[in-house]
Amino acid sequence: MQKYAIGDNKMRINRDKYLNELISKMHNKMIKIITGIRRCGKSYLLNEIFYDYLISLGVNEDHIIRISLEDLENEYLTDAYVLNNHVKSLIKDDQMYYLIVDEIQQVNRFVPLLNGWLKIKNLDVYVSGSNSRFLSKDVITEFRGRGDEIYVSPLTFKEYYDARGKDFDDAWNEYIIYGGMPFVLERSTNEQKSKYLKDLFNEIYIKDIKERYGIRNDSQLETLLNIISSSIGSLTNPSKIEHTFKSVKQETLSRNTIESYLDILEDTFLIKKTNRYDIKGRKYINTPSKYYFVDMGLRNARLNFRQLEDTHMMENIIFSELIHRGYNVDIGVVEVSEKNENGNYVRKSLEIDFVANISNDKIYVQSAYHLPSPEKVKQEIRPFLNVDDSFRKFIIVRDNIDVRKDDYGITTIGLKHFLLNDDPFRL
């Protein structure tokens, strides 16, 4: 398949995964809803990449209706009735038309409008939006099963790496700090990248959240964001966060409010929550959980580019990569009974960083920045050795090493192999 790209001739970013998803959902009699955090490339995906694909199929330009409701010249179309009449006026025959509407949330009654478009037999509809009103997970349910979501993430490392044209280590050192928001690639200096990410966080995301949810106490929301940003890869829960507010900030914030704020940050795609899964008991453990950022650059910008711990940042990026590859990801918990120094048996919980599965295929993954000693290796494989199933087990290390498997069947792969191969677990 031909590749379509974001960017100019100097810097091109292929997003074939999302193009293929759009292609697979064409003509399925559902609204294709492109969601994802603002500025991650949703509009370009529809208006350039997918548009070019339609043209390559021989679709006439006048059968591709593109409307950006962010443009001043289209402001009159933010009225649902006016937009509906405008779209219908452009349908001149019985051939298939493709409707691409950007910033659909600008229309006050866009849900019934979209449901009405579903009744037009020769209209295939694709919409995107980029504020918290549209990006809420609830909007998908409002279509009563007639919306088909395509979630778009910021650039993966491979997309970033291919666009930058640098060697692996140089690209990684940039990516781990500034993340994968596409417009970061257009900033030439670190100062420009930092400013862009800070402005994006404060002027776009925070502002959207406050408007959508009517949040008036800015300081509490921002303090919570700082706490979550500082604790990526660490177990936490609303009660623990409530205690942090009291002990460190000398503020009182109820557990219910904290839960509400965390839900909001998830709904607007800033963070993702992972639950713990008892592997032997085959059940979920409700609390505590872990939170990861959808983009490492945004997380670092939130903390003013402090607390740049390579181990936690690598773990966050591995998590995001697993999600991008279509895995459902949990934290693994293995309960063991071991003798203590007094000879008494005690229960202990060992952790596997990620239990990732697609359908019936499951893998276990540990993120280990370095394995400098036999003791460190033993620490990482210990949870694996207490899992009594035959699913594949992997350790991902920062070092650029050859893939190797030990006597226990545990495979160690380098970060470069994991990030740059389409199927790194097929060995």
Side-chain angles (χ1 to χ4, degrees):
M1 178 179 296
Q2 182 177 355
K3 293 186 176 181
Y4 297 91
I6 297 174
D8 53 28
N9 293 328
K10 190 175 181 181
M11 188 173 294
R12 299 175 64 82
I13 307 172
N14 296 313
R15 311 219 77 181
D16 290 343
K17 175 183 185 292
Y18 302 119
L19 174 59
N20 291 335
E21 285 191 53
L22 287 170
I23 294 169
S24 71
K25 297 175 187 296
M26 291 174 65
H27 313 136
N28 66 356
K29 299 181 181 179
M30 300 179 76
I31 301 289
K32 273 64 72 173
I33 308 166
I34 316 306
T35 64
I37 196 168
R38 292 193 71 170
R39 301 294 190 267
C40 70
K42 300 185 301 297
S43 297
Y44 202 98
L45 172 66
L46 285 175
N47 288 293
E48 301 293 338
I49 297 176
F50 186 56
Y51 175 85
D52 287 347
Y53 175 76
L54 292 175
I55 294 297
S56 76
L57 293 180
V59 178
N60 292 328
E61 290 185 20
D62 59 2
H63 281 61
I64 307 174
I65 305 169
R66 293 188 293 177
I67 301 170
S68 174
L69 295 173
E70 198 169 38
D71 294 345
L72 181 62
E73 62 195 44
N74 291 329
E75 187 175 6
Y76 72 103
L77 295 175
T78 56
D79 181 282
Y81 296 99
V82 174
L83 179 57
N84 190 42
N85 290 333
H86 175 71
V87 169
K88 288 181 176 179
S89 72
L90 297 174
I91 301 174
K92 306 290 188 181
D93 53 47
D94 294 333
Q95 294 183 26
M96 182 61 67
Y97 283 76
Y98 299 88
L99 175 61
I100 298 172
V101 182
D102 199 28
E103 305 297 340
I104 189 65
Q105 80 285 338
Q106 302 285 0
V107 181
N108 286 331
R109 302 189 68 236
F110 67 84
V111 172
L113 175 66
L114 296 181
N115 281 327
W117 284 340
L118 282 170
K119 299 175 183 178
I120 304 175
K121 293 182 180 180
N122 62 328
L123 188 65
D124 201 18
V125 182
Y126 303 79
V127 300
S128 73
S130 59
N131 73 10
S132 55
R133 176 182 171 189
F134 186 84
L135 295 180
S136 170
K137 290 183 296 187
D138 295 338
V139 78
I140 305 301
T141 65
E142 292 189 54
F143 294 113
R144 301 182 183 90
R146 290 171 286 181
D148 203 342
E149 181 183 16
I150 297 174
Y151 171 73
V152 177
S153 69
L155 302 179
T156 65
F157 174 77
K158 188 175 188 305
E159 290 171 329
Y160 185 92
Y161 171 79
D162 289 343
R164 291 299 280 165
K166 294 188 173 186
D167 69 27
F168 177 84
D169 289 332
D170 287 343
W172 172 257
N173 290 335
E174 287 184 359
Y175 187 80
I176 201 172
I177 302 299
Y178 300 108
M181 301 304 288
F183 284 105
V184 166
L185 288 167
E186 297 186 357
R187 273 62 183 177
S188 58
T189 68
N190 292 342
E191 290 75 16
Q192 291 172 352
K193 295 173 186 176
S194 300
K195 184 179 187 305
Y196 170 72
L197 291 167
K198 290 178 184 178
D199 289 346
L200 197 58
F201 211 117
N202 295 323
E203 300 300 322
I204 302 294
Y205 305 139
I206 298 299
K207 191 170 291 185
D208 271 357
I209 289 171
K210 291 175 182 177
E211 290 177 1
R212 157 75 168 170
Y213 297 96
I215 295 174
R216 289 171 292 187
N217 194 327
D218 298 357
S219 64
Q220 291 181 340
L221 174 64
E222 302 219 10
T223 297
L224 176 62
L225 267 170
N226 291 339
I227 292 172
I228 294 298
S229 301
S230 298
S231 60
I232 55 170
S234 300
L235 292 170
T236 191
N237 58 28
S239 296
K240 185 176 180 179
I241 295 172
E242 181 182 16
H243 177 73
T244 301
F245 267 89
K246 290 179 181 179
S247 61
V248 178
K249 302 297 181 181
Q250 284 77 50
E251 296 182 41
T252 300
L253 189 62
S254 73
R255 187 176 184 275
N256 288 340
T257 301
I258 292 169
E259 287 180 344
S260 176
Y261 282 174
L262 290 172
D263 287 343
I264 289 170
L265 295 176
E266 282 190 84
D267 282 352
T268 50
F269 304 116
L270 271 170
I271 62 173
K272 287 184 179 291
K273 178 183 178 181
T274 51
N275 294 315
R276 294 197 301 162
Y277 181 74
D278 181 345
I279 294 172
K280 290 184 176 180
R282 298 183 181 180
K283 62 183 179 181
Y284 280 98
I285 304 170
N286 291 330
T287 185
S289 304
K290 289 186 179 182
Y291 291 90
Y292 294 98
F293 264 76
V294 70
D295 181 76
M296 191 49 51
L298 293 174
R299 178 264 184 184
N300 294 336
R302 181 65 216 171
L303 296 176
N304 201 26
F305 296 92
R306 296 187 292 266
Q307 295 182 243
L308 302 179
E309 314 94 337
D310 288 340
T311 54
H312 290 156
M313 292 190 295
M314 183 176 117
E315 181 180 325
N316 196 133
I317 291 170
I318 290 173
F319 169 80
S320 296
E321 185 67 30
L322 289 169
I323 295 292
H324 176 78
R325 291 170 187 258
Y327 286 95
N328 297 307
V329 183
D330 301 307
I331 304 161
V333 177
V334 184
E335 295 289 341
V336 298
S337 181
E338 296 180 339
K339 282 185 179 181
N340 61 15
E341 56 187 14
N342 298 321
N344 299 319
Y345 280 94
V346 295
R347 299 286 295 176
K348 292 184 179 180
S349 293
L350 307 180
E351 183 177 296
I352 295 175
D353 288 330
F354 304 120
V355 180
N357 60 282
I358 299 176
S359 187
N360 293 325
D361 183 29
K362 181 190 294 183
I363 58 174
Y364 299 109
V365 178
Q366 293 282 49
S367 171
Y369 196 77
H370 288 304
L371 294 176
S373 65
E375 289 74 20
K376 179 62 175 175
V377 173
K378 184 177 180 181
Q379 175 187 330
E380 293 296 336
I381 69 172
R382 184 183 174 206
F384 288 159
L385 299 181
N386 285 278
V387 175
D388 55 1
D389 62 41
S390 59
F391 290 110
R392 294 171 297 159
K393 302 169 180 67
F394 296 89
I395 301 174
I396 301 174
V397 297
R398 170 65 181 88
D399 303 303
N400 183 20
I401 63 169
D402 293 330
V403 176
R404 59 193 183 214
K405 184 178 289 189
D406 65 17
D407 293 340
Y408 301 106
I410 299 167
T411 304
T412 302
I413 62 178
L415 184 68
K416 183 176 181 179
H417 175 87
F418 170 68
L419 293 174
L420 298 186
N421 284 278
D422 292 335
D423 191 357
F425 301 122
R426 181 177 294 174
L427 306 174

